[in-house]
Amino acid sequence: MDTRLLDRHAEALALFTDRVHAVRPEQWDAPTPCTGWSVRDLVNHVTAEQLWVPPLVGEGRSVSDVGDAYDGDVLGGHPAVTWDRAASAAKAAFREPGALDRGVGLSHGDTTVAAYCSQMTADVIVHAWDLSRAIGADDTLPDALVGFAAEEVAPYAAELSGSGLFAPAVEPPEGADRQTRLLCLLGRRP
């Protein structure tokens, strides 16, 4: 079992959980650094991503088996509660004995569960910054998470803006720290 990966995943979920629970009622419609997304849209996206993990990893289902089950609003009337449940279930699925050694079929093809967990971890880390920025919370990411996300996205960062899911990379300022360089690489303007 890759405890480093699972530790980073748990830390990323905990950070995002902290931020979700810090959202004040009047902030759910606030804009985020993700163009066109409100705080609710952002939390909904990350929650839906976590909801995919148990059926894909724990049950061995395919993307087509799950279909559109997690399209639209998955948060309902209690966003923080829904997030907590989704995060807990995703964490448990990735921690099942042997889970990281399995394969999983994603929308972009087959990969290992370990690679899927790594991608999901990086996604949660960066979106924790987005959410922090949107609600006025401390947006400093733990150094271990920044390093993990940078290592994860470096091999395919150039392809991300072409996917339509990320803004093009921006040039980081001279002398930028690791967090700023990571965020600029992923199209953020810290």
Side-chain angles (χ1 to χ4, degrees), residues 2 4 8 10 13 17-18 22 24 28 43 49 67 77-78 90 109-110 124 137 143 163-164 167 173 186:
D2 186 346
R4 177 182 172 266
R8 293 298 89 80
L13 290 177
T17 297
D18 179 69
R24 295 185 311 273
W28 286 104
V43 174
E49 292 293 311
H78 304 284
D110 293 340
V124 173
D143 195 52
S163 72
L186 296 173

Side-chain angles (χ1 to χ4, degrees), residues 24 37 53 71 76 83 104 113 115 120 124-125 139 142 147 150 184:
R24 295 185 311 273
W37 277 5
V53 177
D71 288 356
W83 162 257
V104 63
V113 170
M120 292 283 287
V124 173
I125 292 166
D139 63 8
C184 288

Side-chain angles (χ1 to χ4, degrees), residues 8-190:
R8 293 298 89 80
H9 180 253
E11 291 165 18
L13 290 177
L15 178 62
F16 198 83
T17 297
D18 179 69
R19 296 309 186 262
V20 169
H21 285 271
V23 177
R24 295 185 311 273
E26 70 275 9
Q27 292 179 310
W28 286 104
D29 291 324
T32 70
C34 302
T35 304
W37 277 5
S38 67
V39 166
R40 185 177 178 90
D41 295 332
L42 174 65
V43 174
N44 188 72
H45 163 73
V46 180
T47 302
E49 292 293 311
Q50 304 316 305
L51 290 170
W52 278 94
V53 177
L56 295 180
V57 174
E59 301 167 20
R61 295 170 66 196
S62 70
V63 170
S64 61
D65 291 338
V66 178
D68 62 1
Y70 306 120
D71 288 356
D73 180 11
V74 298
L75 295 178
H78 304 284
V81 172
T82 304
W83 162 257
D84 289 345
R85 289 180 182 151
S88 178
K91 182 178 174 182
F94 281 132
R95 288 182 174 269
E96 287 177 8
L100 295 180
D101 299 323
R102 295 182 205 143
V104 63
L106 303 177
S107 58
H108 56 77
D110 293 340
T111 190
T112 65
V113 170
Y116 176 43
C117 182
S118 188
Q119 292 166 9
M120 292 283 287
T121 301
D123 190 59
V124 173
I125 292 166
V126 174
H127 284 317
W129 180 85
D130 294 329
L131 184 54
S132 298
R133 187 54 73 99
I135 66 170
D138 179 6
D139 63 8
T140 304
L141 299 169
D143 195 52
L145 294 182
V146 170
F148 180 91
E151 184 179 313
E152 166 58 30
V153 301
Y156 55 82
E159 302 164 19
L160 292 175
S161 68
S163 72
L165 301 174
F166 289 83
V170 297
E171 187 67 31
E174 178 120 6
D177 61 21
R178 282 185 357 157
Q179 176 174 313
T180 301
R181 289 192 312 271
L182 169 67
L183 294 169
C184 288
L185 182 65
L186 296 173
R188 271 64 176 180
R189 297 183 183 274

